Amino acid sequence: MKSSTKSQAPLLEIKDLNVGFDTPEGEVHAVNNLNFSIKAGDTLAIVGESGAGKTQTVMAALGLLAENGHASGQAIFKGNDLLQMSAAELNRHRGREIAMIFQDPMTSLNPYLRIDKQMIEVVMHHQGLNKNQAREHAVEMLRAVRIPDPERRIRQYPHEFSGGMRQRVIVAMGLLCEPDLLIADEPTTALDVTVQGQISHLMGALRDNSNTAIILISHNLGVVAGLCERVLVMYAGEAVECGSVEQVYYDPRHPYTRGLLESVPRLDRPEEQGLNSIPGNPPNLLTLPAGCKFRDRCPEASDACREKPPMQLDDQRHAWRCILGGDT
Amino acid sequence: MAKHSLRRLLGLIPTLLLLLTVAFFLIRVAPGGPFDAEKALPPEIQANLNAKYHLDESLLQQYFRYLGQVVSLDFGPSYQYKDWTVNELIAQGFPVSLTVGLTAIVLAFFVGTMLGIAAALRQNSTVDYSLMGFAMLGISIPNFVIAPILILLLAVYAGWLPAGGWDWGVPSMVLPIVTLALPAIAYIARITRGSMIEVLHSNFIRTARAKGLSESIVIRRHALRPALLPVISYLGPAIAGMISGSVVIERIFSIPGLGSYFVQGALNRDYTLVMGVVIFYGVLILVLNFLVDLLYAWLNPKIRYDQKR
Ligand SMILES: Nc1ncnc2c1ncn2[C@@H]1O[C@H](COP(=O)(O)OP(=O)(O)OP(=O)(O)O)[C@@H](O)[C@H]1O
Ligand code: SF4
Ligand SMILES: [Mg+2]
């Protein structure tokens, strides 16, 4: 099934996306000229340090930016530009065709409503199920994300759940409508490794059974490798490298990607843990440098990097934004 | 929860005792006595009266005698309204005051929250600014200024409503109720606007929007309850404010409510009447505050949960 979809038009295509926030200090350039696309049944990971613009990229597409935020460019979903839609038009896609699993499990559930109410409102609203069917469906989903005793737990309030349990509830809520596109923002950070595995497995099953496209935002390169085919590496609101998991993990072309891979703690080299995080900090998003945004931290920087480096593309759909890294 | 409530109710007793004690001694510290008239009474009549009302006993004796009465729910005879007991006067005046106060608080709650939500949903628009400007006015202008203005406009010039009096008819109720409710409407509108704006920025509202729910469902199902919680906690003080406000309002509109009796009692050093009204209102405020707290806990699952444990 997966291979038959390869030639289709993309499900979501992000074109020249810019996201800015007006603040008293000036405009925060959170996402800059971002392009990527994803087809039905594809799994794309977005990785990058904190503040790289991963979350705001998808928030912009869903029309969920904060009030001081604005987006330009295009986010074409099934042929229509999400960025041009009114809230009412977006509501025909949100929840039903595009589901979002939010990053912060502690605050993303409504503390004043029982879990059942929050879960079943999605399916009742979009699939027209009645209360009992919706509820049964929700209980099954909670069971699938390994919440013990789901019939009882679903009657409880969010504060009766631990952080990890809330995260599973949020994941279950996202999977409930069997969306065409599932956006999962750090869906497993608060979970232990076994449950992480189970949840990636669930998402993988959803993709395989319903041909769901998945955008996975994660710091965890291990989870990414387990679930995704393609990886987009973001730095200071830009795409710096994009390719298949094999290309990016085993043949990284951008120095930032290499730094990111080296900063992964490794069991086989425990003495180096934490030592390998990339030195320095990402640039100030208020005043982005003109040339390569990674220049201040790049071990291979040279004078040529004062000009904005072009996106290089090899014939295997592996792309990177650096003056180096070409095969010649 | 029930145990917790019982404990809180019992905790009200010391508060009431303190209120009673302070009021009892304060009113006696004030110069003058209940039977001081323009023309001094002959000494033997004065003495007789004092004996009849036990005013010849020591202050402490009077205090404990009064305490005993109150415990048996008897506030004694009024000094001024000779044929009436204080209990009868309260029974007479309270229904009127209750009608004014209850209607005003209900009005303030619904109108205030609605205006506040309207302003929050149009944040920084003309509607928002004018509503909040009006609210600032409502908060800063005291009752006794608003009342004559309303009387002048609606009663004297327009002639739509009576300028005062009370006949249990709706027209006679409108002005006093509106005057009493206005500051609370303004305050509640401001609280609601602030809390609604804050709630609408929270992550769980973003989650609700991501579900594709319409904005009106998002607000009614997800935002309304948390946005109203601060209003609910304001209801306690609001009730107390309305009770003291009603004393003024009843005077201005010549309404035969409890507040009028209270003012009369205070002016005439009618110790028992003043004490009776003070204690009655004290109990009322404490009990209503208690009910407001219960409502708050009921609306807020987290508190409910903490109390269960
Ligand atoms: N409302 C806002 N006003 C101003 N700046 C904002 C606002 N929201 C986000 N930002 C900024 O936009 C940048 C990108 O944020 P984003 O949430 O996309 O980061 P991220 O890549 O998801 O990071 P993390 O891994 O920590 O979640 C950050 O620097 C953040 O401070
Ligand atoms: S363009 Fe230059 S500074 Fe930027 S990543 Fe490549 S080598 Fe480093
Ligand atoms: Mg994020």
Side-chain angles (χ1 to χ4, degrees):
Chain A
M1 188 187 265
K2 257 192 280 173
S3 54
S4 68
T5 62
K6 285 294 182 215
S7 55
Q8 283 175 4
L11 182 67
L12 173 70
E13 190 169 10
I14 301 287
K15 285 188 190 165
D16 270 330
L17 180 70
N18 283 280
V19 177
F21 293 98
D22 297 321
T23 68
E25 292 80 40
E27 187 178 350
V28 172
H29 303 276
V31 179
N32 302 298
N33 292 316
L34 188 68
N35 290 282
F36 70 85
S37 66
I38 182 168
K39 292 197 208 100
D42 270 0
T43 10
L44 172 76
I46 305 182
V47 301
E49 283 168 309
S50 186
K54 309 181 293 292
T55 300
Q56 300 314 320
T57 298
V58 294
M59 289 296 172
L62 287 174
L64 294 175
L65 287 178
E67 270 160 29
N68 63 336
H70 43 84
S72 66
Q74 290 179 305
I76 312 285
F77 179 74
K78 294 190 175 175
N80 300 311
D81 187 357
L82 296 170
L83 298 189
Q84 300 303 322
M85 288 184 194
S86 67
E89 289 170 313
L90 277 170
N91 281 341
R92 284 203 287 273
H93 304 289
R94 294 194 289 211
R96 181 202 315 241
E97 292 171 332
I98 311 177
M100 172 87 195
I101 295 172
F102 285 97
Q103 185 168 15
D104 188 350
M106 297 313 278
T107 59
S108 292
L109 291 168
N110 187 335
Y112 302 96
L113 295 179
R114 292 181 206 278
I115 298 299
D116 54 358
K117 204 155 186 189
Q118 304 191 47
M119 288 187 78
I120 66 181
E121 66 178 352
V122 204
V123 259
M124 285 177 68
H125 190 74
H126 292 302
Q127 301 186 339
L129 296 186
N130 70 32
K131 216 170 190 157
N132 285 335
Q133 294 167 321
R135 202 189 165 75
E136 259 169 51
H137 195 32
V139 167
E140 281 324 303
M141 199 47 90
L142 288 182
R143 206 187 306 284
V145 296
R146 300 295 193 275
I147 288 186
D149 198 4
E151 288 92 350
R152 185 178 64 85
R153 296 291 264 170
I154 199 170
R155 300 275 311 147
Q156 294 183 328
Y157 287 95
H159 60 84
E160 297 172 73
F161 287 71
S162 69
M165 284 289 176
R166 284 188 218 189
Q167 193 156 45
R168 293 186 220 187
V169 171
I170 292 172
V171 170
M173 223 157 73
L175 302 180
L176 214 49
C177 264
E178 299 184 354
D180 298 325
L181 173 62
L182 176 69
I183 303 173
D185 195 352
E186 305 281 0
T188 58
T189 24
L191 304 177
D192 63 54
V193 181
T194 350
V195 184
Q196 269 181 11
Q198 284 159 348
I199 285 186
S200 343
H201 184 77
L202 263 178
M203 291 198 283
L206 180 71
R207 172 196 56 201
D208 297 339
N209 299 331
S210 319
N211 208 26
T212 296
I214 299 177
I215 296 179
L216 174 73
I217 298 174
S218 183
H219 281 114
N220 188 326
L221 296 178
V223 171
V224 167
L227 183 67
C228 298
E229 295 152 1
R230 295 187 68 77
V231 186
L232 172 74
V233 184
M234 281 184 77
Y235 184 76
E238 277 184 348
V240 293
E241 183 153 6
C242 186
S244 69
V245 166
E246 291 75 32
Q247 288 166 340
V248 173
Y249 279 39
Y250 297 110
D251 185 18
R253 300 296 174 90
H254 197 283
Y256 175 66
T257 311
R258 281 201 289 277
L260 212 56
L261 288 165
E262 276 161 24
S263 65
V264 176
R266 287 173 52 164
L267 287 176
D268 55 333
R269 292 186 302 188
E271 72 279 4
E272 288 178 38
Q273 264 192 28
L275 292 179
N276 279 330
S277 68
I278 309 169
N281 291 308
N284 186 343
L285 297 177
L286 291 164
T287 52
L288 283 173
C292 175
K293 298 181 173 47
F294 188 56
R295 200 176 70 229
D296 289 347
R297 301 166 77 185
C298 182
E300 289 155 60
S302 63
D303 270 351
C305 310
R306 289 180 196 285
E307 305 263 307
K308 189 178 163 102
M311 203 66 166
Q312 301 199 56
L313 186 66
D314 74 5
D315 49 10
Q316 304 294 307
R317 293 177 66 221
H318 185 182
W320 63 97
R321 188 184 291 281
C322 176
I323 54 167
L324 306 174
D327 284 329
T328 46
Chain B
M1 187 84 177
K3 216 170 108 191
H4 177 85
S5 308
L6 192 66
R7 220 181 312 137
R8 276 221 35 201
L9 271 180
L10 290 177
L12 299 184
I13 292 174
T15 316
L16 275 175
L17 194 65
L18 189 71
L19 172 72
L20 182 150
T21 310
V22 170
F24 183 90
F25 289 105
L26 255 186
I27 189 171
R28 278 165 178 75
V29 167
F35 306 112
D36 299 349
E38 314 265 293
K39 215 160 33 141
L41 291 167
E44 53 275 25
I45 296 185
Q46 181 85 45
N48 266 346
L49 276 172
N50 281 353
K52 180 176 171 212
Y53 292 110
H54 306 287
L55 292 172
D56 52 349
E57 293 175 356
S58 80
L59 216 54
L60 221 55
Q61 268 177 312
Q62 290 183 41
Y63 172 72
F64 283 109
R65 178 184 299 282
Y66 186 68
L67 206 57
Q69 276 181 6
V70 169
V71 169
S72 60
L73 298 180
D74 174 14
F75 291 126
S78 162
Y79 294 167
Q80 208 63 42
Y81 302 86
K82 294 270 160 28
D83 300 329
W84 297 79
T85 64
V86 172
N87 290 34
E88 283 165 346
L89 289 174
I90 291 178
Q92 184 95 66
F94 183 56
V96 179
S97 298
L98 182 70
T99 308
V100 175
L102 203 64
T103 320
I105 197 94
V106 171
L107 188 74
F109 181 80
F110 283 104
V111 176
T113 50
M114 248 128 72
L115 294 181
I117 292 170
L121 296 185
R122 293 168 187 74
Q123 203 190 336
N124 299 333
S125 69
T126 325
V127 179
D128 182 20
Y129 287 136
S130 21
L131 280 176
M132 287 306 114
F134 156 79
M136 253 348 270
L137 274 179
I139 293 168
S140 47
I141 303 181
N143 273 330
F144 56 82
V145 177
I146 294 180
I149 295 177
L150 288 182
I151 291 177
L152 215 58
L153 289 178
L154 300 177
V156 179
Y157 290 152
W160 293 334
L161 297 162
W166 184 265
D167 57 8
W168 289 102
V170 173
S172 71
M173 297 180 178
V174 174
L175 279 182
I177 289 174
V178 169
T179 312
L180 191 58
L182 268 180
I185 289 177
Y187 206 81
I188 288 176
R190 277 177 60 95
I191 302 180
T192 310
R193 173 185 182 270
S195 64
M196 183 54 98
I197 287 175
E198 193 182 320
V199 169
L200 287 177
H201 282 121
S202 49
N203 281 351
F204 65 83
I205 294 297
R206 198 182 54 191
T207 308
R209 292 201 172 121
K211 288 175 183 170
L213 305 173
S214 72
E215 193 63 13
S216 86
I217 293 187
V218 170
I219 286 164
R220 274 182 291 136
R221 194 179 295 160
H222 288 273
L224 196 57
R225 187 195 292 215
L228 287 188
L229 282 175
V231 179
I232 304 288
S233 25
Y234 168 67
L235 282 184
I239 288 166
M242 290 234 166
I243 286 178
S244 47
S246 72
V247 174
V248 178
I249 298 291
E250 288 178 9
R251 283 296 281 188
I252 296 178
F253 291 97
S254 334
I255 295 170
L258 216 41
S260 300
Y261 287 121
F262 179 76
V263 175
Q264 279 305 314
L267 291 176
N268 295 320
R269 304 287 178 275
D270 191 341
Y271 292 165
T272 45
L273 180 55
V274 170
M275 288 298 294
V277 175
V278 165
I279 293 170
F280 182 78
Y281 271 156
V283 172
L284 195 69
I285 290 177
L286 290 177
V287 168
L288 287 176
N289 267 288
F290 170 73
L291 292 179
V292 165
D293 285 357
L294 283 188
L295 180 64
Y296 188 91
W298 180 69
L299 286 174
N300 192 344
K302 204 153 183 177
I303 292 189
R304 231 185 302 160
Y305 177 75
D306 290 343
Q307 289 178 354
K308 240 187 310 187
R309 289 189 300 184

